[in-house]
Amino acid sequence: MTTVTGELIGRTPVIATAGLTKHYGSVHALTDLTVDVGPGVTGLVGANGAGKSTLIKILLGLLEPTAGHASVLGHDIEQASQDIRRLVGYMPEHDCLPPDVSASDFVVHMARMSGLGASAARERSADVLRHVGLDEERYRPMGGYSTGMKQRAKLAQALAHDPQLVFLDEPTNGLDPAARTDMLRLVQRIGSDFGIAVLVTSHLLGELEQVSDHVIVLDGGRLLRSSATTDFLRQTGSLLVEVVGTETERDRLGEELARRGLTCRPRGSMVAVDPPPADLAAEGAAHDLIRDVAVELGLGLMRLEPDRGHLEDVFLEGGARV
Ligand SMILES: Nc1ncnc2c1ncn2[C@@H]1O[C@H](COP(=O)(O)OP(=O)(O)OP(=O)(O)O)[C@@H](O)[C@H]1O
Ligand SMILES: [Mg+2]
């Protein structure tokens, strides 16, 4: 399986940092961070205070690092912050929307500020507002928007000038579960519809892992882990299986899988399967076995997927798994 590092061979990374460090007095917000970010969607995960926003602000040239270097789209952050800001969109963590202005006027304004002509700015604004799903509301003052609408307007302004890369700082903040799902889908489509690289932050690994090609985990300002999302899942390796039927049938499945060498335990209406032993660790081998056993027992397979709960565990367990 290709990792981001693999994809980067012979190409400039979208973002590269080397020994990046930021201290605020005695607070060590970032410590010796060396990491590369490739194209596609990259999730930047960490608990409150992990250093996510600090990293983004340094990459945008809004904060100076205490030590270390970084480049964005091949431009050095210290030499070329103007170039970087031209090429990069930014959705900040906190509310940044003027309350008396409509989303439509705001996004057109942002596009004009970045150098687009009047008609190109209007066209671009209509495109991005359509993309984020702001319809008639786009003509109303943003002061009256719900949190979900504000987040969409913030996302639209980040896309206004057709950037090559966007930094999205906690785009799901304050959203209810349905709105979170919608926002995550939008984030995913920024890459596919607009061909823009994305660095998106959250304190929830589970939600970023759904939309990211690659995940970077920060813990207390230090790099805990950086890997392709598929590797994340593969290394944790646990699976959740759900079959149509009664608890007895679920247990029959668990017992049969155990007989074939997999360690299983009931989890609600599902069977949780531990990472497979070496002889079943080949790509897809455990999946195939589970599918075959379900067929043999005449059980309908409803769900067979990586166990997200364990993914959260990796994050909580900290440095031990890096
Ligand atoms: N201007 C500042 N002055 C002093 N300390 C700061 C400042 N900005 C951030 N910090 C501290 O630096 C650390 C990293 O903060 P940062 O905002 O980058 O974290 P974060 O990962 O974005 O957190 P959150 O999930 O809460 O947004 C925290 O301990 C924070 O309190
Ligand atoms: Mg933050």
Side-chain angles (χ1 to χ4, degrees), residues 24 27-29 46-55 57 93 169-170 203:
Y24 298 101
V27 177
H28 294 189
N48 293 131
K52 307 179 296 290
S53 301
T54 299
L55 173 60
K57 287 178 195 160
E93 191 174 9
D169 201 351
E170 309 247 8
H203 52 275

Side-chain angles (χ1 to χ4, degrees), residues 127-182:
D127 277 354
V128 294
L129 286 163
R130 196 175 316 117
H131 175 75
V132 302
L134 279 179
D135 298 321
E136 288 310 305
E137 311 87 30
R138 76 176 75 165
Y139 303 112
R140 289 199 342 235
M142 294 186 287
Y145 282 9
S146 68
T147 308
M149 285 155 65
K150 283 184 178 164
Q151 291 294 65
R152 285 164 191 260
K154 271 162 63 180
L155 179 60
Q157 64 77 34
L159 299 169
H161 59 298
D162 201 8
Q164 293 179 20
L165 165 69
V166 282
F167 294 121
L168 309 179
D169 201 351
E170 309 247 8
T172 56
N173 207 5
L175 302 183
D176 64 36
R180 264 172 193 262
T181 306
D182 287 349

Side-chain angles (χ1 to χ4, degrees), residues 8 11-16 36-40 42 59 71-75 88 164-167 197-199:
L8 290 176
R11 283 204 265 157
T12 314
V14 173
I15 300 166
D36 282 356
V37 172
T42 300
L59 295 173
S71 67
V72 176
L73 298 164
H75 297 280
V88 172
Q164 293 179 20
L165 165 69
V166 282
F167 294 121
V198 178
L199 183 72

Side-chain angles (χ1 to χ4, degrees), residues 1-17 34-40 42 71 73-74 197 213-214 216 226-228:
M1 188 139 329
T2 317
T3 65
V4 165
T5 318
E7 287 163 15
L8 290 176
I9 291 169
R11 283 204 265 157
T12 314
V14 173
I15 300 166
T17 75
T34 300
V35 71
D36 282 356
V37 172
T42 300
S71 67
L73 298 164
D213 305 304
H214 194 94
I216 294 170
S226 168
S227 50

Side-chain angles (χ1 to χ4, degrees), residues 42 54 81 100 109 117 176 183 188 231 239 254 271 282 308:
T42 300
T54 299
S81 65
D100 301 330
H109 172 75
D176 64 36
M183 177 55 77
Q188 197 168 32
D231 289 353
L239 296 168
V271 178
R308 314 283 178 201

Side-chain angles (χ1 to χ4, degrees), residues 22-24 26-31 33 44-57 63 93-94 169-170 173 201-204 217-224 315:
K22 176 71 186 176
H23 295 171
Y24 298 101
S26 63
V27 177
H28 294 189
L30 276 184
T31 304
L33 180 70
L44 178 64
V45 193
N48 293 131
K52 307 179 296 290
S53 301
T54 299
L55 173 60
I56 288 178
K57 287 178 195 160
L63 279 178
E93 191 174 9
H94 301 294
D169 201 351
E170 309 247 8
N173 207 5
T201 79
S202 171
H203 52 275
L204 298 172
V217 184
L218 290 183
D219 185 35
R222 289 176 186 276
L223 179 66
L224 191 59
F315 181 46

